[in-house]
């Protein structure tokens, strides 16, 4: 009896999943913001006053600042190492070979374009023109040199990491005077933009797409410092600001629903929700279980206040220094995490339980 076309297609997809789960991907392509930028903002010379180009950034692994917002490697770096690939080059690096991967992520990036922020009256809070749509265009510009006329086949064996995105969309609103509750009103629009970006990549041939949620920013030193209150009821039992974490949770709930709908719409692709929030919040709740002695205090800063964060004396500025053992801290500079935290997060995405489904499942 002849096999039906549908049966043949399902068998081919299953075989593809099995093959990739048992071996490395041929490339990783990453999109996002400062949680995953490996140098795009600095390719043509860093903007004036950019502190992350100064020591002690990069000290743990690279021994120098690399335009990564950490003391060392990021999640996407650990993913590349896991699958035997070189660390991702920034897509703006001229003359580079991107056949084994490229990083379109750029510091300050947003899911939404500039008109969205202008409509909210916070356009001046966005200083980098690298929204998701632009990053996807940068990626498309690379494709002729990567895969020529066989892109769908090549990209079907690559891993795509779409985010984290959304954090800066909310930062612009919050730093522009919006309350967390007001900012949450824009969550459906922001999530829709991320979903549309995922669909564009799938249309180009992506079969393996990781879509991370946003982080529990109410536990981050920058927010704990800037929005510190004397009302104990504003904090949860772990010392985090409840309203800001509720904003992140609202975004993530909608994003999980979006990922679920994409999974149903594209059953031949493996679309994964990476639970950034739960993993980091677990580290906050039980830091010693993850090898951390501090959870709400930045490793790198000028020693200011309870959380070691000062806008005027941030990591990389004069007077600021790193703690003696960054691997014992969850937070690196009050805004981003340490290499030690990113390694644990990458492991949680690859093998579970913080990615649904896990990359290797």
């Amino acid at each position: 009896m002849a096999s039906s076309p549908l049966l043949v297609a399902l068998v081919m997809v299953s075989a593809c999943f099995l093959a990739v789960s048992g071996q490395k991907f041929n490339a990783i392509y990453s999109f996002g913001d400062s949680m995953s930028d490996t140098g795009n903002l600095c390719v043509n010379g860093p903007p004036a006053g950019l502190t992350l180009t100064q020591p002690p950034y990069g000290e743990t692994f690279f021994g120098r600042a690399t335009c990564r917002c950490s003391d060392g490697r990021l999640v996407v770096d650990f993913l590349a190492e896991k699958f035997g690939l070189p660390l991702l080059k920034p897509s703006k690096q001229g003359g580079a070979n991107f056949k084994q991967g490229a990083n379109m992520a750029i510091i300050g990036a947003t899911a939404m374009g500039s008109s969205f922020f202008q409509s909210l009256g916070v356009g001046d809070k966005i200083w980098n023109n690298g929204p998701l749509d632009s990053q996807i265009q940068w990626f498309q510009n690379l494709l002729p040199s990567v895969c020529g006329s066989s892109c769908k086949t090549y990209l079907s064996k690559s891993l795509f990491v779409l985010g984290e995105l959304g954090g800066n969309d909310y930062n612009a609103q919050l730093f522009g005077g919006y309350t967390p509750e007001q900012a949450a009103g824009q969550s459906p629009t922001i999530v829709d933009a991320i979903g549309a970006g995922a669909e564009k990549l799938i249309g180009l041939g992506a079969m393996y797409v990781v879509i991370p949620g946003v982080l529990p920013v109410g536990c981050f030193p920058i927010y704990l410092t800037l929005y510190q209150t004397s009302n104990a009821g504003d904090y949860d039992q772990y010392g985090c600001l409840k309203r800001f974490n509720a904003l992140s949770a609202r975004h993530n709930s909608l994003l999980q629903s979006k990922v679920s709908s994409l999974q149903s719409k594209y059953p031949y692709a493996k679309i994964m929700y990476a639970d950034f929030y739960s993993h980091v919040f677990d580290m906050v709740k039980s830091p010693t279980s993850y090898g951390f002695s501090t959870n709400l205090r930045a490793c790198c800063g000028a020693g200011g206040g309870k959380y070691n964060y000062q806008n005027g004396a941030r990591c990389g500025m004069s007077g600021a220094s790193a703690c003696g053992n960054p691997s014992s801290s969850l937070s690196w500079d009050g805004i981003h995490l340490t290499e030690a935290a990113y390694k644990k997060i990458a492991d949680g995405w690859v093998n579970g339980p913080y990615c649904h489904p896990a990359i290797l499942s």
Side-chain angles (χ1 to χ4, degrees):
M1 179 182 295
S3 299
S4 72
L6 177 59
L7 179 59
V8 171
L10 290 173
V11 169
M12 290 177 66
V13 170
S14 298
C16 184
F17 281 164
L18 288 171
V20 175
S21 67
Q23 63 186 33
K24 68 178 183 179
F25 296 96
N26 60 18
I28 297 177
Y29 295 103
S30 173
F31 305 78
D33 55 22
S34 58
M35 294 293 169
S36 47
D37 185 0
T38 56
N40 271 318
L41 192 64
C42 302
V43 164
N44 298 315
L50 191 68
T51 61
L52 60 90
T53 61
Q54 305 298 318
Y57 281 93
E59 67 173 20
T60 296
F61 180 77
F62 300 99
R64 60 182 176 83
T66 64
C67 209
R68 286 170 172 81
C69 293
S70 185
D71 60 308
R73 290 162 290 185
L74 311 178
V75 171
V76 71
D77 293 316
F78 288 110
L79 293 179
E81 290 182 354
K82 171 66 178 179
F83 295 109
L85 295 165
L87 301 188
L88 299 191
K89 299 181 180 69
S91 63
K92 291 180 174 291
Q93 183 176 320
N97 184 333
F98 297 112
K99 288 185 181 295
Q100 290 185 289
N103 196 348
M104 279 54 66
I106 189 166
I107 294 165
T110 54
M112 303 301 299
S114 60
S115 61
F116 169 80
F117 302 102
Q118 291 167 0
S119 72
L120 296 177
V122 295
D124 61 321
K125 303 303 178 185
I126 296 298
W127 54 272
N128 168 36
N129 188 26
L132 178 55
D133 276 350
S134 294
Q135 292 185 32
I136 293 176
Q137 185 58 59
W138 300 343
F139 173 64
Q140 289 180 277
N141 293 343
L142 299 178
L143 290 182
S145 66
V146 170
C147 46
S149 60
S150 305
C151 284
K152 289 227 172 197
T153 299
Y154 192 83
L155 299 181
S156 72
K157 299 173 184 176
S158 301
L159 178 66
F160 288 77
V161 183
L162 185 59
E164 175 264 4
L165 282 162
N168 288 322
D169 299 78
Y170 298 115
N171 286 340
Q173 296 174 70
L174 296 170
F175 298 156
Y178 282 66
T179 66
E181 293 76 20
Q182 290 171 327
Q186 302 299 328
S187 294
T189 303
I190 294 168
V191 167
D192 281 347
I194 296 170
E199 292 200 77
K200 287 180 183 178
L201 296 177
I202 293 167
L204 291 171
M207 290 276 285
Y208 299 88
V209 185
V210 177
I211 306 177
V214 295
L215 295 132
V217 295
C219 304
F220 280 39
I222 180 174
Y223 282 90
L224 289 165
T225 299
L226 297 180
Y227 298 99
Q228 190 168 2
T229 82
S230 59
N231 182 359
D234 291 337
Y235 298 85
D236 65 18
Q237 66 191 94
Y238 307 105
C240 302
L241 287 163
K242 292 189 288 189
R243 295 172 67 200
F244 293 89
N245 277 355
L247 170 59
S248 294
R250 161 73 169 162
H251 172 97
N252 290 338
S253 176
L254 292 173
L255 185 61
Q256 288 178 74
S257 295
K258 177 66 67 175
V259 170
S260 179
S261 69
L262 292 174
Q263 290 168 336
S264 297
K265 186 174 181 179
Y266 303 100
Y268 54 83
K270 185 174 182 179
I271 304 170
M272 298 155 271
Y273 172 72
D275 195 350
F276 235 148
Y277 184 106
S278 292
H279 202 172
V280 173
F281 197 46
D282 283 348
M283 294 178 190
V284 169
K285 292 189 290 185
S286 184
T288 56
S289 298
Y290 293 90
F292 300 128
S293 58
T294 60
N295 55 358
L296 301 181
R297 183 175 173 83
C299 167
C300 183
K306 181 178 180 180
Y307 306 107
N308 193 27
Y309 181 85
Q310 294 174 272
N311 258 343
R314 300 188 305 277
C315 186
M317 288 184 168
S318 177
S321 60
C323 58
N325 182 16
S327 66
S328 67
S329 295
L330 172 59
S331 174
W332 165 243
D333 58 5
I335 308 168
H336 309 94
L337 306 179
T338 58
E339 176 183 273
Y342 286 133
K343 183 180 188 304
K344 292 174 173 63
I345 291 165
D347 290 342
W349 292 6
V350 171
N351 300 304
Y354 295 100
C355 192
H356 312 287
I359 297 173
L360 289 184
S361 64

